[in-house]
Amino acid sequence: MSDESKPASGDSSGLLNGLLTGGAQKPQRVNEAARSLHPNAVKDLLSLGVCERCILRLITVTTFDSDLATVSSSTLRGWLGSGFEEAASPEPSICIVCLGVLQFVFYDAKQTLVKMKSDCGSDHAAWITDLVKQQGHEFDSFGLEVSLPSTISENERAVFIYLFFFFFGLNVDVCTIGVGYTLKESIATKLGCRVKKVSVKDALKVLVLDPLRASLVRAKSDSSSFHIRLTYSKASDDAQGVSETTHERKKRKTDEENGSSCISENPFEKVYEPCILSVHCNQMPIFFSGRYFKYSRNVSQSRWIIDDERMGEASVEEIIGGSILPACLGDSYKFHAAGREDIDVRMLGSGRPFLIEVQNSRKCPSQQSLTEIEEKINNSEKKLVGVKDLKFIGSECWAMMREGEAEKQKQYAALVWISRPLEEKDCNSISSMIELKILQNTPIRVLHRRSPLERERTIHWMKVEKIKGNAHYFLLHLCTQAGTYIKEFVHGDLGRTTPSMGSILGCRAEIIQLDVTDVKMGDS
Amino acid sequence: MAENPETDDTIETTKQNQSEEEVEHSDEQKQEDELRSLLLSDIGDLPLSPPSATQVNFVSYFITDFTKPGHDQYIYRHANGLCVIGLAPTHIAFKDEGGITNIDFNVGKSDRSVLKVSGKRKKNAMRSESNTALCKVSTAKDSYIVRCCVKGSLLEVNERLIKQPQLLNSSADREGYIAIIMPTRPADWTKNKESLITLEEYKAKKEVSL
């Protein structure tokens, strides 16, 4: 059913051919859009090389949404009148404003030209879907991001300026239009319509989002940890279309202020090349938590390389992260631990809490596979590292790490040598020291990278365990405040830590080896 | 025989709880035992006198007759580049009767003991050359100037010596150290090193057993 009503502007124009069927609302809105068009302006823009979607997007009353998206180019030309249809070139050129983005013309990653049917967004969505599936992610919702060349907004502005001078003449003074009127508003009053601008990004999303959702996901959801990014970039560096250089832009701004007008001299260059479109998928990082044990005195906590040489045999970070990363099919991982220990200190007891952060994982391993990974690490030939309670954890992971940080207490067992034989009274005097306050100057071994400060720390309790048959050695069990340097507490660090084991016992003391036996967190 | 099923049940459950607790307790015990065996298994042969922390972590260098005869000093260099400076055992100050009685850091242009170095970048540290005066030690007989021997930034001086100068007599190589200097550039240290001798060379030269 074709509706033959004349446009409100009164100019002679064609019929509303090819009216689409659909809900009652649809034709009405499309009617409104058609009526609001100013045929001469539209013809001018078409001959300049602006595509139909951009015209509909920029200068119609109704917002460019899915209804208007389905208006094809032939329909639009039909609205304008019979004389104009012949002028349409068989091969539509690339739009000077959107550079082909809304016409679904672009270069793919291999620089091959791709042209989609532009009636609706489904073909384009199908092309994107293929690329997304190739990247192998598992997801049940996604967010769509679009990145466009900055010249597109410059092109739009240039078109508005062109329209401005089209309607108001070449020599008009900007100031006569009215104080406070923006460019768009001025044109709007002339056109008799509300010029509500819909950006190219939003228009593209309108065209493509629903078909994408239909083909990719079952659930409909917007906010997501998985993003699909469409990046359009310029094919070459030459200025194309109506974009200006910065110099020209500054000149134009000052000219406008001065009231002169010279922009219309600028010809609108043809666009020969569309943009390159690349599709990239990214998943937000996922986290795994657990506790690790370090059984070797030659394994550092994180990767430690000096002058291309690795220090130590391996690292806890690489052993654990390197096992989890392949299971997630991720790009990379980061290791975070609640505190650290030296390379020659073992981590025993209940283990130290840690987090593994995996970037851009393609799939999330099941608890079953996590348990298998845990067993594999624990049963490996060289028992260097152990893992416990490995599991997937959500955004509460950071709270877990911070938990009880200030109140964290650590328990150690140190093998101590003293220069005189141990006596019973020594054991008693040591065990009786509860909440001993010590002052530690920054140890010399870290003084090169830490501030020289005097830090007060507390030794909560100590216990001596004698070693059979040897009066010069004993095992010292102690529980201290977080941040205490144990080695310096034993040997005194040239007197910079007081009191020290040596000063308490009145002799020389050395630490032979150290083990961490407990890291107390908020939970058990 | 009327057995009250309820009490029977409760007796059963408490027994269960008890045995659960026992199992838990023995689990904990097991863990502790495992831990203990781990702790002790690592203790191999215990040498009678193990090397000291200084010997393990530092490389010892010496300089003898620095600017004046008998002025022997040590430079213990840590793996991270920091140098601990002090008096070597053959320094002539120790030969005076009564040993060292006093130390004064107020030499040269400023009092070295009042400098306050702050922050990771070690702001306000005094720049020293190898012959910059560090302090003056006095005995009953005479007083001797101690110099930096290392070009770099002076990070700290041992303030405890001011109140306890006898530390120099009793343990000059440990608690009686004098200062800590950070060489500013690796090139500076390489150049410095040329004028220093190793522990072996020092022993040979002075025919002392340390």
Side-chain angles (χ1 to χ4, degrees), chain B residues 32-89:
Chain B
E32 271 197 43
D33 288 339
E34 260 184 55
L35 178 59
R36 282 187 53 80
S37 65
L38 272 177
L39 287 177
L40 296 170
S41 69
D42 221 33
I43 300 175
D45 292 319
L46 300 175
L48 192 55
S49 183
S52 73
T54 324
Q55 287 166 315
V56 170
N57 298 319
F58 294 83
V59 179
S60 307
Y61 294 98
F62 293 84
I63 192 159
T64 53
D65 307 317
F66 191 51
T67 70
K68 273 192 188 159
H71 283 54
D72 302 338
Q73 289 173 221
Y74 67 73
I75 294 110
Y76 293 154
R77 183 175 150 91
H78 194 275
N80 62 20
L82 264 44
C83 296
V84 179
I85 313 291
L87 299 179

Side-chain angles (χ1 to χ4, degrees), chain A residues 489-516:
Chain A
F489 170 65
V490 173
H491 63 61
D493 196 29
L494 304 184
R496 298 165 79 253
T497 292
T498 49
S500 68
M501 222 34 317
S503 68
I504 292 172
L505 295 176
C507 61
R508 250 196 337 136
E510 301 289 346
I511 183 166
I512 309 303
Q513 46 189 50
L514 181 61
D515 294 322
V516 187

Side-chain angles (χ1 to χ4, degrees), chain A residues 295 297 346 348-349 388 413 415 417 441-452 454 465 467 470 472-473 475 477 491-496 498 508-510 512-513 515-517, chain B residues 31 35-36 38-55 57-58 76 78 80 82 84 117-120 122 155-156 158 160 173-177 180 182:
Chain A
Y295 299 117
R297 292 192 189 282
R346 292 187 302 178
L348 309 171
K388 181 175 92 163
L415 181 60
W417 172 89
N441 274 316
T442 310
I444 299 179
R445 62 187 168 100
V446 297
L447 187 53
H448 65 294
R449 59 177 168 83
R450 292 200 67 185
S451 304
E454 209 175 45
E465 186 182 320
I467 293 185
N470 201 317
H472 282 270
Y473 287 85
L475 213 54
H477 296 270
H491 63 61
D493 196 29
L494 304 184
R496 298 165 79 253
T498 49
R508 250 196 337 136
E510 301 289 346
I512 309 303
Q513 46 189 50
D515 294 322
V516 187
T517 54
Chain B
Q31 275 179 10
L35 178 59
R36 282 187 53 80
L38 272 177
L39 287 177
L40 296 170
S41 69
D42 221 33
I43 300 175
D45 292 319
L46 300 175
L48 192 55
S49 183
S52 73
T54 324
Q55 287 166 315
N57 298 319
F58 294 83
Y76 293 154
H78 194 275
N80 62 20
L82 264 44
V84 179
V117 177
S118 65
K120 275 194 207 170
K122 315 296 184 281
L155 294 188
E156 82 175 42
N158 190 353
R160 289 164 287 277
D173 65 334
R174 282 168 61 102
E175 284 80 12
Y177 78 95
I180 302 180
M182 181 167 85

Side-chain angles (χ1 to χ4, degrees), chain B residues 107-118:
Chain B
V107 293
K109 293 195 187 125
S110 57
D111 190 344
R112 312 315 188 204
S113 63
V114 299
L115 54 80
K116 279 287 166 272
V117 177
S118 65

Side-chain angles (χ1 to χ4, degrees), chain A residues 169-289:
Chain A
L170 290 178
N171 291 317
V172 74
D173 190 358
V174 176
C175 300
T176 63
I177 300 308
V179 178
Y181 255 31
T182 65
L183 208 56
K184 277 177 266 180
E185 284 162 353
S186 323
I187 299 174
T189 45
K190 195 70 180 177
L191 287 177
C193 72
R194 217 173 51 240
V195 178
K196 183 181 172 173
K197 196 178 84 154
V198 170
S199 70
V200 178
K201 267 189 210 179
D202 294 337
L204 185 64
K205 283 189 182 174
V206 161
L207 290 166
V208 138
L209 201 50
D210 279 336
L212 263 185
R213 281 213 188 102
S215 60
L216 284 176
V217 298
R218 271 158 282 162
K220 189 178 160 92
S221 136
D222 263 334
S223 76
S224 169
S225 54
F226 176 69
H227 295 128
I228 300 175
R229 175 176 279 265
L230 307 177
T231 307
Y232 288 86
S233 48
K234 294 262 289 267
S236 64
D237 283 335
D238 304 332
Q240 294 196 351
V242 296
S243 60
E244 313 160 295
T245 62
T246 322
H247 179 71
E248 286 167 17
R249 198 178 318 137
K250 282 194 184 140
K251 189 163 178 285
R252 166 168 59 78
K253 279 211 169 109
T254 43
D255 282 347
E256 269 180 28
E257 285 161 27
N258 298 337
S260 70
S261 54
C262 60
I263 288 304
S264 51
E265 255 88 87
N266 246 352
F268 285 61
E269 289 173 17
K270 264 183 86 85
V271 175
Y272 294 103
E273 284 190 312
C275 302
I276 303 175
L277 170 59
S278 62
V279 177
H280 183 74
C281 302
N282 188 56
Q283 169 77 257
M284 297 294 279
I286 58 175
F287 294 87
F288 301 93
S289 72

